Amino acid sequence: MTPYSKDFPVSWHELHRDARALSWRLLEQGPWKGIIAITRGGLVPAAILCREMDIRLIDTICVVSYDSSEEGGAANVQGDLRILKGVEGDGEGYILIDDLVDTGKTAREIRKMLPKAHFATIYAKPAGKPLVDTFITEVSQDTWIRFPWDMEYTFSTPLADRQKG
Ligand SMILES: O=P(O)(O)OC[C@H]1O[C@H](OP(=O)(O)OP(=O)(O)O)[C@H](O)[C@@H]1O
Ligand SMILES: Nc1nc2[nH]cnc2c(=O)[nH]1
Ligand SMILES: [Mg+2]
C-alpha cells in the first residue's frame, strides 16, 4: 500500500524558478568550495545551482533507493539504500544537493558520510525536513512529487467527461 494519495506535478519552469530561489538562499550563506549532487534527482538542481552561483567543482554521490520497476513506472517503493560511489572528506564547505527529501532515509545515510556538508533540497516533506539545512517548498507527507524529467505531454480528459466515467 502506497502512503501517497496526492499528486504534485512540477513543470520545468517551476523547477527552474525554485532552483534559482534556492541559489539565492545558498549564495547568502557561502562561500562554497563546490557542490555534491546526490544522483540522480540532484543532478538537474545541481546544474542550475552551479550556473547561478558560478561553481565549477561538481562531484556526485551515486545511490539507488526507490524501486522504479513497478507497473506504470510509479517509483514509490523504497528499498535498502545502495551507495555505488561516495566522495572523500567530511563535506566541509560543500553544498550537498538533492531534489527532495521524503522519509529522510537517503539524507540520513548520506549525512553520516558527509556530516559537515550543507544539505539543500528544493522540496521537503515533514518527515525529512529536520535533516535539511536549506529547502524552498514544503509538501505534505502523502504527496508524490512528479518531476518534469519523469513526465511527457499527453491528452487531458475534460473534468466533465471524467465525472461521466
Ligand atoms: O527521503 P527519502 O524517502 O529517502 O527519499 C528521497 C530520495 O528519493 C528520491 O530519489 P530516488 O530514490 O527516487 O532515485 P533517483 O534520484 O535516482 O530518481 C529523491 O531524489 C531523493 O534522493
Ligand atoms: N519523484 C519522486 N521521487 C520520490 N522519492 C521519494 N519521494 C518522492 C516523490 O515524492 N517524488
Ligand atoms: Mg534521488
Side-chain angles (χ1 to χ4, degrees):
M1 232 331 239
T2 169
Y4 306 104
S5 56
K6 296 179 194 137
D7 239 20
F8 184 76
V10 177
S11 69
W12 282 112
H13 185 76
E14 287 162 339
L15 182 95
H16 194 189
R17 184 201 56 201
D18 289 345
R20 291 181 81 174
L22 184 59
S23 306
W24 273 115
R25 299 270 304 279
L26 293 170
L27 258 184
E28 289 163 3
Q29 301 174 63
W32 303 103
K33 291 180 188 160
I35 287 192
I36 302 165
I38 302 173
T39 71
R40 295 162 303 180
L43 289 169
V44 172
I48 298 168
L49 260 55
C50 290
R51 189 269 178 182
E52 296 301 332
M53 300 170 71
D54 196 25
I55 291 174
R56 310 286 171 143
L57 187 55
I58 304 142
D59 205 342
T60 54
I61 289 198
C62 302
V63 297
V64 184
S65 160
Y66 281 78
D67 177 11
S68 54
S69 61
E70 206 179 293
E71 196 181 338
N76 54 16
V77 181
Q78 193 170 27
D80 287 335
L81 194 73
R82 280 193 296 132
I83 309 283
L84 306 181
K85 176 197 161 295
V87 294
E88 284 181 8
D90 59 9
E92 186 164 20
Y94 284 83
I95 296 166
L96 182 60
I97 178 79
D98 208 346
D99 49 2
L100 67 91
V101 66
D102 185 329
T103 63
K105 184 174 170 182
T106 308
R108 208 169 285 115
E109 289 302 311
I110 294 178
R111 289 208 79 141
K112 280 187 213 155
M113 298 162 61
L114 296 169
K116 295 199 174 161
H118 184 101
F119 188 49
T121 63
I122 300 183
Y123 303 102
K125 300 185 193 178
K129 202 170 77 163
L131 293 150
V132 187
D133 296 307
T134 306
F135 70 93
I136 296 299
T137 302
E138 180 168 355
V139 302
S140 63
Q141 200 64 44
D142 58 354
T143 296
W144 185 258
I145 300 168
R146 294 201 183 269
F147 288 107
W149 52 83
D150 286 330
M151 293 190 290
E152 59 185 353
Y153 282 114
T154 183
F155 178 75
S156 168
T157 307
L159 295 177
D161 292 349
R162 289 185 216 180
Q163 278 175 347
K164 282 180 214 157

